[in-house]
Amino acid sequence: MEIGYYPGCALHGSSNDYEMSVRACLSTLGVHLRELDDWICCGATAAHSLNRKLAVALPARNLGLAERDGMDELLAPCPMCSAQLMKARCVLAEDQAFRSEISEIVELKVRGTTRVCNLIQIFQRVGYESIQKIAVQRLEGFRPACYYGCLLTRPPGVVQFDDCEHPSSMETLLKGLGAGPVEWNYKTECCGAGMTMSNESTVLELGHRILSNAAAHGANCMVVACPMCHVNLDMKQSAINQRYSAAHDMVVYYLSDLVGLALGISPDALGIPRHFVVRK
Amino acid sequence: MNAHAAETSSNGFEPKIVAYVCNWCTYLGADLAGTNRLEYPTNVRIVRLPCTGRIDFNLIVKAFEIGADAVVVSGCHPGDCHYTSGNYHARRRWMLFRELLATLGIDTDRVHFAWISAAEGKKFQQVISEITAKTREMGPYRAYREICEA
Amino acid sequence: MTHNLDLNSVEELAHTRVHDCYQCGKCSAGCPVVERMDILPNQLLRLLQLGRLEKAMAAGAIWECVSCMTCTTRCPKSVDCAGILDALRQLSIEHDVASPAQRRTILFQQTFLDNIRRNGRLAELDLVRKFKTQGFLDDLSVPQLFKDALLGPQMLRRGKLHLRSRRVKDRKLVGRIFARCMADNGRGNGHGGIQGELEA
Amino acid sequence: MPRIGVFTCWCGENIARNVDVQSVSEQAAQLPGVRCSQTCKYMCSDPGQKLIRDTIAAEQLDGVVIASCSPHMHLKTFRKAAAQAGLNPYLIEMANIREHCSWVHPDKARATAKAVDLIRMAAAKVRHNRALEPIKVPVTRKALVVGGGVAGIQAALDLADAGIPVALVEREPSIGGKMAGLSETFPTLDCSQCILTPRMVEVAQHPNITLYTCSEVEQVEGYVGNFQVTIRKRARYIDIDKCTGCGQCWNVCPSKKTPSEFDYGMGNRTAIYVPFPQAVPARPVIDRDACLRLTKGRCGLCAKKCQAGAIRFEDQDELVREDVGAVIVATGYQLYEIGRRGEQDRLSGYGEYGYGQYPDVISSLQFERLLSASGPTGGELRRPSDGTIPKTVVFISCVGSRDNAKGMSYCSKICCMVNAKHTMLYKHKVHDGQAHVFYMDIRAGGKNYDEFVRRAIEQDGAHYHRGRVSKITQEDGRLIVRGVDTLAGEPLTIVADLVVLASAMRPAAGVEELAQKVNVGYDEFGFLCESHPKLRPVETNAAGVFVCGACHGPKDIPESVAQASAAAGKVLLMFSRDQLHREPEIAHIQESHCAGCFACRRGCPYHAIDAAEIRDRQGLLVRRVARVNPGLCMGCGTCVALCPSKSADLEGFSEQQVYAMVECLR
Ligand SMILES: Cc1cc2nc3c(=O)[nH]c(=O)nc-3n(C[C@H](O)[C@H](O)[C@H](O)COP(=O)(O)OP(=O)(O)OC[C@H]3O[C@@H](n4cnc5c(N)ncnc54)[C@H](O)[C@@H]3O)c2cc1C
Ligand SMILES: Cc1cc2nc3c(=O)[nH]c(=O)nc-3n(C[C@H](O)[C@H](O)[C@H](O)COP(=O)(O)OP(=O)(O)OC[C@H]3O[C@@H](n4cnc5c(N)ncnc54)[C@H](O)[C@@H]3O)c2cc1C
Ligand code: SF4
Ligand code: SF4
Ligand code: SF4
Ligand code: SF4
Ligand code: SF4
Ligand code: SF4
Ligand code: SF4
Ligand code: SF4
């Protein structure tokens, strides 16, 4: 299976561990990623906070590139990117006039025909059962709290993925691979992704709540499918501990890390040692 | 001699206006205008029908054929139809009527659709007065008659 | 320049109708950062319904919002409350009414966009550096500056920071896209903001 | 050559002031087909009517135009006069020269000219009028009531008491509907079963009522006054006549694990069971999916125990036919399925409240069962998860209702009152407990209703918070309710032991299919449509079919009962005559021209058009054509306008008549 791939800034930057993990995992599963040529940033929170047109134009340019290159489907492992791309696609589909205006702005004809999907959807496409079949290692002992964050399932009308209040797609996948995901309450509570740099105190507070709830429900690790969630829960964990005099010691994996481990990929190849909190 | 002809000759252009109205709302609205002695021009000739649902496209064309300068179609407000959904059908058809009339070369500005309820005597007076005034302004509708006669 | 300070600008930006809101408060009830807000999301909607745009734009709350979409997702009237907050942020910048306490957030977002405008993609180190110096110059959270800076080396050590980021081929193109989006003033970015302030 | 008489009225000065009556009359005499033209000071007075009668007779008129006031005023009067003179009353037309002329046109010359025009139009029309006879429809004086909730029970009893035989069809094994499961009822807090069960017993014992339980309407044919109804009686596996209701059978049944429908899944029942102790009929039923004998072929304990020999495992569904003259639909409601979104459901569930996920988040009807002395906890308020007594209970209003995003925009009308009742009953049972209500508006618009709500707040100390709840989660067995108090302008988190969702009322499942069988319209939510919301609130557009109770829209008991009696009254009115007389001004279809496109049928608001089959001598189908059912047609004329082949026409407003009116204006 070949699929278009939009890494986004995060995966090419501070979250390159996520990219390693995604690439390693998917190539083992026989999914070939074809990176979008000359992609640009999706604009993230900043764009839709400051300029609505820009918030559509930036992702639209990428959609246009994908169309130009004949990609039916584009994987954006970062939910911020996928949400921006999907939103732009929805807006363009609705409004013919705006579509032509945007096409002019980005100097490329954009129709919005390329579908956008997240990482979990790729796993679903491969098939949970097929993944189970080629898995070589049971994920015994992993009791992850699966964390979806705010953008994987929201807004439901746009992303149309899983149940936006009680998502379960990661749990189902990991359960099948031998892990024992816990039921907990903060699966879809926001970690403050867009505020990582600008409003740290918010981010620490939200992160603290999430880590606490995961621990209270018996999780011994967390699983995320978002680079920003990872930054806020992993990289910022020590800052959280400092701020709240807490003793969180929660390993935070990317979903592809755990799937990768089950597939027998080495932690190094998955970039796991690059995390801040590592299992002793 | 036809009354319209008489009016035209005595006092400049007096338009001929045919109004198709439903029995339960607009006809009663016109009755109420009468009870309240609300004056309006004499040009309109009301054709009472049970429901605006009864009105078809040909009736409108027919009115122009006999030389009407304007046609009014009026019934109950949406949702108030005596027959519950008769006027719903009418409403949907009226959209179509306009297009069809235009295709036949009929000036759609001369066809007026209105909702006038049994309580709206005043509105009946206003609508008829305005349409009469507007039609006077537009002048006699020759175009279609000429097509018919040709 | 003239600003059209009416409700339409908010509704147009947010693509949602303010008067659809029936003030149930569900948006406020679910907002993860509501405790930090001076004016609750539903109250912002109410202010807009009353035409009190100035007051809504100046609210600190709009800069606390983390754009999580919880409010929008659960609104029984399908009002895009998160979109409204986006619009208010944009207008607040256009009209320069954000309180000094909020400037840090604005600054970050502007710096972020500026970074993309110039590079096409995010150059993280560049961003952090710029943001911190700007923040420092504006004398905001000086201690924060040092704390985050400490993470820098750790990130480098983990290979998470690249001193040079891969850039887009046609970087001018991105600049053009920005220029066009910013062009139609009211709906783009007016004075100050992304271009003006940081290009200097 | 037609013989038309024109009668122009002065109406004292009312017409004569602005219209030159004499001149009008003279001009009218010149119109084609007019035989004579007369005037009279007051045409509707006795002398006026006599003039008409005498002239009809003397001139042998075959058409009459009366130029006077609005037909809404006196058409009936003049029709009667014509009939007395031996002229068919439908050969009368009126020209409205008062309301539409003299009263609105002060210019006498013009008004006079217009009056002549109006008479010209009427005269042109009347030439094409046809003699019509009122349509007489025979009536079967028996009624069908579908649904045995409080509304259906009331309607059935009213009719039966008036001497009308009634067939009452109930889908469940017992009548009683939702009310049978309620604890105490607002606004008086009287015990629901105490007031309902005597009525249920009356139904069972009434000589005029045939009760069909476990039954549904399979098919309805015919039209007003003459319906042929097929009822499917599902196999009950009990011979109701033999069974004594002794209870031996269900006491021995080993299959005990089926969630009880009556307790909304909060308790279990056996495979052979009576839904609740006061059920009517007080006879058990076997659940074919739970019975070991019927599913696996073993057991049969109940039959061994039954001394009456009432158990019939071989029972089959049965089709019964009833001929009735009228139908009352009273199928009631169900609550919005508040759990996660169903696959096919258009409505989108309520995942954020965790119903179906957390056992202590329950629906309002479940709470009724917890309060009820006959409920699963024997009337002690114990929460489902661990049986403890909840000290903090949160009630949430408008769950599903008024929530466009979930697919329902309407207010369910009863739940504000239900919430107030629940907080009170809760406080009466748990004195140290605290009730919280999250609400958006308090809608308590009935007699003594607002007082009731105020009592809940002022005397029983319920805390009312104006705001919606966003999310419910569970921590350590307690429920974290995240809401807001918009009046205080503060977010509010309440840690509760039990959460009760006042979920929306929706029409009972399957109502759409039933509505289609009886040709009754329903709205986008499935609530049945009345004929006119103000003036015909229990009639429907299908003549002879009436609605009452919650199937028509959210309703409490007093309203359901009032409407049920109204529906029964309407049926009695219909049955007060042996034959129904209907206006003959209805549509008819010229079958030889009909192309069978059925544009007319799709447009007819009364479902009055059927497909008829034309067969040749050998009985082979030649073609299908439209046929108007005179029992149903209301004469709106929509079909006439829709028919592309001009096969449909309307008596009284025929194509010929209308075109003649327009043509004479040429
Ligand atoms: C929690 C709660 C508390 C309430 N408390 C009060 C109160 O205190 N006071 C008050 O006035 N009102 C109260 N109500 C409202 C009350 O329940 C309703 O007003 C009343 O039950 C409506 O009666 P009904 O006969 O129309 O419908 P239902 O009670 O629903 O009866 C309908 C009957 O029709 C049957 N049926 C359905 N479909 C078919 C079919 N296709 N064929 C045959 N049979 C069918 C059903 O099985 C049922 O027996 C309460 C409602 C709720 C939800
Ligand atoms: C401002 C306003 C607006 C409203 N708008 C609406 C609306 O939009 N839609 C709606 O559904 N409802 C509306 N209503 C309500 C509506 O007016 C009433 O529901 C309705 O008129 C009640 O009808 P009734 O026959 O019971 O009483 P009434 O209309 O009061 O009729 C009672 C009659 O009895 C006569 N009468 C009184 N005492 C005696 C006596 N001792 N002997 C003999 N005769 C007597 C009175 O003269 C009167 O003619 C409105 C009410 C108000 C106040
Ligand atoms: S949730 Fe929606 S309707 Fe309710 S207050 Fe917020 S914006 Fe308004
Ligand atoms: S989008 Fe903003 S306002 Fe809405 S819930 Fe999230 S943080 Fe609160
Ligand atoms: S018939 Fe009509 S117009 Fe003539 S007197 Fe009677 S009320 Fe007046
Ligand atoms: S079926 Fe037999 S055992 Fe059961 S209640 Fe009836 S009579 Fe008694
Ligand atoms: S035969 Fe069926 S109903 Fe009878 S006792 Fe056995 S399981 Fe129960
Ligand atoms: S009755 Fe009250 S609780 Fe029920 S839907 Fe209406 S407002 Fe909401
Ligand atoms: S006249 Fe109206 S009611 Fe009668 S058959 Fe035609 S459409 Fe139906
Ligand atoms: S619309 Fe006319 S042609 Fe078509 S089925 Fe009806 S009557 Fe026949």
Side-chain angles (χ1 to χ4, degrees):
Chain A
M1 176 159 68
E2 187 187 84
I3 192 154
Y5 173 55
Y6 176 86
C9 306
L11 271 74
H12 270 200
S14 53
S15 304
N16 51 17
D17 45 355
Y18 188 25
E19 176 164 52
M20 289 174 73
S21 160
V22 168
R23 281 189 176 280
C25 203
L26 291 187
S27 85
T28 309
L29 291 175
V31 180
H32 176 69
L33 296 180
R34 180 171 152 221
E35 186 169 328
L36 187 64
D37 182 41
D38 210 28
W39 55 268
I40 62 171
C41 171
C42 70
T45 318
H48 72 80
S49 287
L50 299 181
N51 185 305
R52 192 180 85 85
K53 206 178 278 175
L54 194 59
V56 178
L58 294 175
R61 165 86 193 168
N62 295 310
L63 291 173
L65 290 172
E67 276 164 35
R68 184 197 63 191
D69 297 350
M71 295 175 177
D72 300 333
E73 202 163 17
L74 197 58
L75 162 66
C78 169
M80 173 64 85
C81 303
S82 60
Q84 289 297 109
L85 289 163
M86 287 177 193
K87 255 193 260 177
R89 203 172 161 248
C90 282
V91 176
L92 292 173
E94 265 168 30
D95 191 340
Q96 161 94 53
F98 194 48
R99 191 158 64 223
S100 3
E101 186 190 345
I102 289 289
S103 294
E104 272 176 36
I105 289 178
V106 304
E107 299 176 21
L108 198 62
K109 190 164 166 54
V110 193
R111 284 174 302 154
T113 47
T114 303
R115 278 171 291 126
V116 179
C117 61
N118 65 36
L119 179 64
I120 307 170
Q121 283 165 319
I122 297 293
F123 287 137
Q124 286 173 344
R125 195 76 43 82
V126 174
Y128 287 0
E129 274 168 29
S130 327
I131 300 179
Q132 270 175 50
K133 257 183 230 141
I134 45 176
V136 294
Q137 180 126 24
R138 299 279 296 165
L139 295 173
E140 307 289 358
F142 288 90
R143 286 195 315 279
C146 298
Y147 177 63
Y148 296 78
C150 51
L151 290 168
L152 267 177
T153 59
R154 285 202 289 257
V158 174
V159 301
Q160 305 202 337
F161 172 69
D162 211 337
D163 179 325
C164 70
E165 297 294 348
H166 301 280
S168 56
S169 44
M170 288 206 256
E171 278 87 346
T172 312
L173 171 58
L174 293 176
K175 229 180 263 170
L177 296 174
V182 301
E183 266 312 315
W184 64 306
N185 285 329
Y186 277 65
K187 284 184 192 183
T188 61
E189 290 288 317
C190 179
C191 65
M195 291 286 184
T196 309
M197 298 266 195
S198 56
N199 193 342
E200 177 146 75
S201 97
T202 299
V203 173
L204 296 186
E205 180 183 340
L206 297 177
H208 178 53
R209 281 191 218 157
I210 292 164
L211 289 166
S212 305
N213 194 269
H217 286 262
N220 62 6
C221 63
M222 288 187 64
V223 178
V224 300
C226 170
M228 282 158 307
C229 297
H230 199 263
V231 168
N232 287 343
L233 298 174
D234 174 58
M235 191 172 107
K236 299 265 173 189
Q237 208 173 100
S238 64
I240 291 170
N241 281 337
Q242 218 172 324
R243 164 78 58 92
Y244 292 96
S245 313
H248 298 297
D249 185 20
M250 188 71 80
V251 186
V252 185
Y253 293 106
Y254 293 110
L255 179 62
S256 44
D257 290 344
L258 287 193
V259 176
L261 290 176
L263 295 174
I265 304 171
S266 77
D268 283 346
L270 291 164
I272 292 177
R274 296 186 174 206
H275 300 180
F276 279 73
V277 184
V278 283
R279 186 168 274 197
K280 278 141 220 150
Chain B
M1 186 176 52
N2 187 313
H4 271 299
E7 284 179 36
T8 317
S9 53
S10 68
N11 190 12
F13 168 56
E14 285 296 341
K16 187 189 284 190
I17 300 172
V18 176
Y20 295 111
V21 310
C22 80
N23 185 33
W24 305 102
C25 290
T26 306
Y27 193 88
L28 284 170
D31 278 2
L32 183 62
T35 314
N36 292 341
R37 312 295 199 273
L38 304 174
E39 196 188 329
Y40 54 85
T42 53
N43 308 59
V44 67
R45 299 290 176 267
I46 287 179
V47 178
R48 183 171 68 104
L49 296 168
C51 174
T52 46
R54 168 69 180 81
I55 298 166
D56 71 2
F57 175 70
N58 297 334
L59 271 177
I60 301 179
V61 178
K62 178 73 192 173
F64 288 116
E65 213 178 283
I66 60 103
D69 300 297
V71 173
V72 184
V73 173
S74 177
C76 317
H77 285 261
D80 272 353
C81 177
H82 180 80
Y83 302 97
T84 322
S85 60
N87 72 350
Y88 166 73
H89 285 281
R91 259 186 297 154
R92 285 206 310 193
R93 282 206 308 277
W94 294 352
M95 309 290 180
L96 258 161
F97 283 3
R98 272 196 195 283
E99 286 172 30
L100 286 172
L101 289 169
T103 351
L104 277 185
I106 289 177
D107 180 358
T108 52
D109 284 350
R110 293 185 182 263
V111 188
H112 305 268
F113 298 107
W115 321 115
I116 301 174
S117 77
E120 294 176 322
K122 184 87 193 149
K123 182 169 175 192
F124 183 83
Q125 177 202 29
Q126 280 168 355
V127 167
I128 297 301
S129 305
E130 281 164 19
I131 291 172
T132 311
K134 187 179 173 205
T135 313
R136 272 207 186 96
E137 226 169 76
M138 293 172 83
Y141 189 36
R142 295 228 173 74
Y144 191 69
R145 252 171 280 173
E146 279 157 14
I147 299 177
C148 291
E149 277 151 22
Chain C
M1 86 197 58
T2 54
H3 292 302
N4 185 11
L5 252 191
D6 65 357
L7 199 56
N8 291 342
S9 51
V10 184
E11 296 198 320
E12 194 188 308
L13 281 170
H15 263 230
T16 196
R17 295 230 312 269
V18 164
H19 284 285
D20 285 357
C21 164
Y22 57 19
Q23 285 298 305
C24 69
K26 197 172 183 182
C27 45
S28 306
C31 175
V33 292
V34 68
E35 274 88 2
R36 298 167 166 265
M37 292 181 167
D38 51 350
I39 298 181
L40 308 189
N42 74 291
Q43 293 174 319
L44 288 171
L45 262 301
R46 184 70 191 137
L47 285 171
L48 294 179
Q49 289 175 340
L50 299 175
R52 306 276 313 275
L53 186 52
E54 287 87 352
K55 185 165 181 191
M57 276 182 345
I62 62 178
W63 300 103
E64 294 296 342
C65 166
V66 292
S67 300
C68 67
M69 307 293 291
T70 308
C71 47
T72 297
T73 300
R74 296 197 188 129
C75 174
K77 295 286 289 175
S78 305
V79 173
D80 183 3
C81 181
I84 291 280
L85 270 81
D86 276 345
L88 286 174
R89 281 190 286 264
Q90 182 174 335
L91 290 171
S92 159
I93 293 171
E94 281 178 23
H95 298 288
D96 204 13
V97 292
S99 72
Q102 317 307 337
R103 302 223 43 212
R104 190 181 165 85
T105 308
I106 304 174
L107 190 60
F108 172 73
Q109 301 195 332
Q110 292 177 336
T111 314
F112 182 96
L113 281 188
D114 180 60
N115 188 295
I116 296 166
R117 186 177 62 78
R118 287 184 295 115
N119 300 309
R121 294 176 193 170
L122 190 65
E124 283 169 323
L125 205 57
D126 198 26
L127 174 70
V128 177
R129 183 175 48 76
K130 261 246 155 95
F131 179 50
K132 297 303 176 192
T133 22
Q134 283 284 335
F136 182 68
L137 292 178
D138 286 9
D139 198 21
L140 283 166
S141 346
V142 179
Q144 188 66 42
L145 175 74
F146 293 110
K147 190 142 53 77
D148 276 6
L150 289 176
L151 277 180
Q154 294 185 35
M155 286 177 76
L156 273 175
R157 206 173 323 126
R158 288 174 165 77
K160 284 191 155 221
L161 266 191
H162 304 271
L163 296 173
R164 291 206 73 81
S165 66
R166 287 166 275 183
R167 285 180 169 184
V168 179
K169 284 176 221 155
D170 185 359
R171 281 195 281 140
K172 293 244 171 59
L173 166 79
V174 184
R176 288 198 297 278
I177 294 180
F178 269 70
R180 287 177 194 129
C181 289
M182 304 298 173
D184 57 344
N185 199 358
R187 312 285 59 84
N189 197 309
H191 60 283
I194 301 160
Q195 283 140 308
E197 210 167 293
L198 292 160
E199 199 59 354
Chain D
M1 191 61 193
R3 304 171 67 88
I4 298 169
V6 178
F7 299 85
T8 311
C9 181
W10 293 59
C11 200
E13 274 294 289
N14 278 305
I15 292 173
R17 186 181 299 116
N18 290 343
V19 169
D20 183 343
V21 174
Q22 201 49 50
S23 154
V24 164
S25 180
E26 282 160 19
Q27 291 186 52
Q30 306 305 313
L31 294 171
V34 172
R35 184 82 187 172
C36 64
S37 180
Q38 312 257 22
T39 74
C40 178
K41 263 260 165 340
Y42 296 103
M43 203 61 82
C44 59
S45 66
D46 283 342
Q49 292 194 41
K50 185 166 185 306
L51 172 73
I52 298 172
R53 286 198 305 267
D54 293 349
T55 318
I56 291 175
E59 300 284 342
Q60 299 190 320
L61 300 181
D62 60 5
V64 167
V65 172
I66 301 186
S68 58
C69 47
S70 167
H72 287 276
M73 185 96 184
H74 275 314
L75 183 57
K76 278 213 172 102
T77 316
F78 296 129
R79 276 187 175 165
K80 219 183 276 163
Q84 283 163 358
L87 182 70
N88 184 288
Y90 294 92
L91 298 176
I92 297 274
E93 283 297 329
M94 285 180 78
N96 185 348
I97 62 168
R98 190 179 74 170
E99 282 86 346
H100 291 189
C101 192
S102 71
W103 277 352
V104 288
H105 304 316
D107 180 326
K108 194 160 184 173
R110 290 197 176 189
T112 303
K114 176 169 171 182
V116 175
D117 256 9
L118 295 181
I119 294 171
R120 184 199 319 279
M121 290 164 77
K125 181 181 183 191
V126 82
R127 293 177 65 159
H128 301 288
N129 278 25
R130 299 200 314 145
L132 302 175
E133 293 304 327
I135 296 165
K136 298 193 180 105
V137 189
V139 183
T140 312
R141 297 177 79 246
K142 177 166 192 181
L144 170 75
V145 176
V146 189
V150 65
I153 289 172
Q154 179 79 13
L157 284 174
D158 279 3
L159 287 170
D161 286 347
I164 302 294
V166 177
L168 175 56
V169 174
E170 167 59 54
R171 185 157 66 181
E172 301 297 322
S174 168
I175 57 170
K178 303 294 177 302
M179 186 176 168
L182 300 183
S183 54
E184 289 161 19
T185 51
F186 66 75
T188 44
L189 292 189
D190 34 12
C191 151
S192 184
Q193 294 193 336
C194 311
I195 55 180
L196 184 66
T197 38
R199 302 288 281 163
M200 292 163 58
V201 174
E202 257 184 87
V203 167
Q205 294 173 347
H206 208 297
N208 281 340
I209 298 180
T210 317
L211 179 57
Y212 297 96
T213 46
C214 295
S215 299
E216 280 181 76
V217 171
E218 179 98 351
Q219 194 184 21
V220 180
E221 287 175 305
Y223 53 93
V224 58
N226 304 276
F227 295 107
Q228 296 89 46
V229 183
T230 312
I231 297 164
R232 173 176 292 272
K233 285 174 72 178
R234 290 196 314 274
R236 191 179 184 112
Y237 305 102
I238 306 293
D239 185 332
I240 280 207
D241 297 327
K242 280 194 192 156
C243 169
T244 61
C246 69
Q248 296 288 344
C249 49
W250 64 82
N251 285 327
V252 297
C253 177
S255 165
K256 297 182 194 300
K257 283 277 152 51
T258 308
S260 152
E261 292 84 358
F262 187 67
D263 285 334
Y264 304 102
M266 290 189 304
N268 290 336
R269 60 161 171 82
T270 42
I272 184 167
Y273 69 106
V274 285
F276 54 102
Q278 304 81 352
V280 167
R283 299 289 180 265
V285 55
I286 295 180
D287 175 349
R288 113 173 73 186
D289 299 324
C291 168
L292 301 170
R293 167 66 201 264
L294 290 170
T295 53
K296 303 204 173 81
R298 48 191 167 79
C299 185
L301 281 179
C302 52
K304 275 184 213 121
K305 268 283 173 192
C306 177
Q307 284 165 356
I311 290 170
R312 305 184 301 202
F313 292 116
E314 66 292 342
D315 213 357
Q316 297 288 327
D317 284 10
E318 214 183 309
L319 295 179
V320 190
R321 178 168 148 170
E322 287 276 2
D323 288 344
V324 299
V327 178
I328 296 181
V329 182
T331 49
Y333 70 99
Q334 60 179 332
L335 287 188
Y336 175 43
E337 252 306 315
I338 37 196
R340 295 188 194 188
R341 184 203 323 233
E343 283 291 307
Q344 275 94 35
D345 206 338
R346 183 174 65 79
L347 308 169
S348 50
Y350 240 108
E352 60 266 46
Y353 291 172
Y355 181 85
Q357 182 143 6
Y358 309 129
D360 295 326
V361 177
I362 61 174
S363 79
S364 54
L365 277 174
Q366 288 178 313
F367 193 66
E368 291 283 343
R369 297 307 300 145
L370 288 184
L371 290 169
S372 171
S374 69
T377 53
E380 270 194 67
L381 195 64
R382 296 186 173 280
R383 63 181 200 158
S385 64
D386 56 5
T388 55
I389 294 172
K391 296 292 185 204
T392 307
V393 181
V394 168
F395 297 89
I396 305 183
S397 305
C398 309
V399 177
S401 313
R402 307 177 66 193
D403 192 332
N404 306 49
K406 308 286 186 210
M408 281 165 292
S409 52
Y410 59 88
C411 163
S412 289
K413 201 173 179 185
I414 55 145
C415 12
C416 278
M417 287 298 288
V418 170
N419 279 337
K421 171 177 88 170
H422 283 172
T423 65
M424 278 185 191
L425 296 178
Y426 168 65
K427 192 70 178 180
H428 299 171
K429 288 200 191 271
V430 184
H431 301 297
D432 57 344
Q434 181 61 56
H436 295 267
V437 179
F438 282 94
Y439 73 99
M440 292 205 292
D441 299 280
I442 300 176
R443 297 191 171 165
K447 189 171 173 177
N448 288 325
Y449 281 16
D450 199 56
E451 294 90 326
F452 184 83
V453 175
R454 292 313 306 173
R455 217 162 75 218
I457 298 173
E458 292 164 15
Q459 287 175 21
D460 290 321
H463 287 175
Y464 269 63
H465 308 285
R466 198 212 162 275
R468 263 195 197 264
V469 167
S470 179
K471 178 120 182 168
I472 297 172
T473 51
Q474 195 181 38
E475 295 288 348
D476 300 329
R478 302 195 76 192
L479 297 160
I480 317 294
V481 182
R482 260 168 69 179
V484 64
D485 189 318
T486 57
L487 298 181
E490 281 177 356
L492 184 69
T493 298
I494 293 175
V495 182
D497 303 304
L498 184 69
V499 173
V500 182
L501 306 181
S503 9
M505 263 183 156
R506 293 179 62 196
V511 73
E512 276 124 338
E513 290 79 42
L514 179 67
Q516 281 160 12
K517 284 176 194 158
V518 291
N519 278 335
V520 170
Y522 46 88
D523 64 18
E524 58 181 303
F525 308 108
F527 288 117
L528 301 180
C529 295
E530 72 281 44
S531 221
H532 190 284
K534 275 148 279 184
L535 299 180
R536 288 155 64 89
V538 295
E539 287 113 313
T540 68
N541 278 339
V545 182
F546 304 85
V547 288
C548 61
C551 62
H552 156 265
K555 247 176 222 73
D556 59 14
I557 296 164
E559 255 191 290
S560 300
V561 169
Q563 228 191 1
S565 287
K570 286 291 175 187
V571 172
L572 289 175
L573 186 75
M574 213 178 108
F575 287 178
S576 65
R577 296 187 217 109
D578 296 335
Q579 285 186 322
L580 298 176
H581 289 240
R582 298 174 56 81
E583 275 295 330
E585 291 177 318
I586 60 165
H588 57 86
I589 282 158
Q590 199 178 342
E591 292 178 1
S592 54
H593 285 44
C594 170
C597 69
F598 297 109
C600 53
R601 182 160 69 166
R602 284 189 294 276
C604 173
Y606 297 94
H607 307 282
I609 296 176
D610 300 322
E613 294 180 344
I614 306 247
R615 293 178 180 277
D616 64 10
R617 288 230 180 78
Q618 280 79 46
L620 294 171
L621 183 63
V622 181
R623 59 202 177 91
R624 279 151 52 86
V625 294
R627 186 171 291 165
V628 175
N629 183 332
L632 298 177
C633 173
M634 300 288 280
C636 69
T638 302
C639 52
V640 182
L642 291 176
C643 177
S645 70
K646 291 288 150 228
S647 315
D649 208 347
L650 184 64
E651 295 291 3
F653 297 93
S654 69
E655 291 283 278
Q656 264 194 327
Q657 287 172 303
V658 177
Y659 277 93
M661 286 174 87
V662 182
E663 183 62 42
C664 77
L665 291 173
R666 193 180 277 277

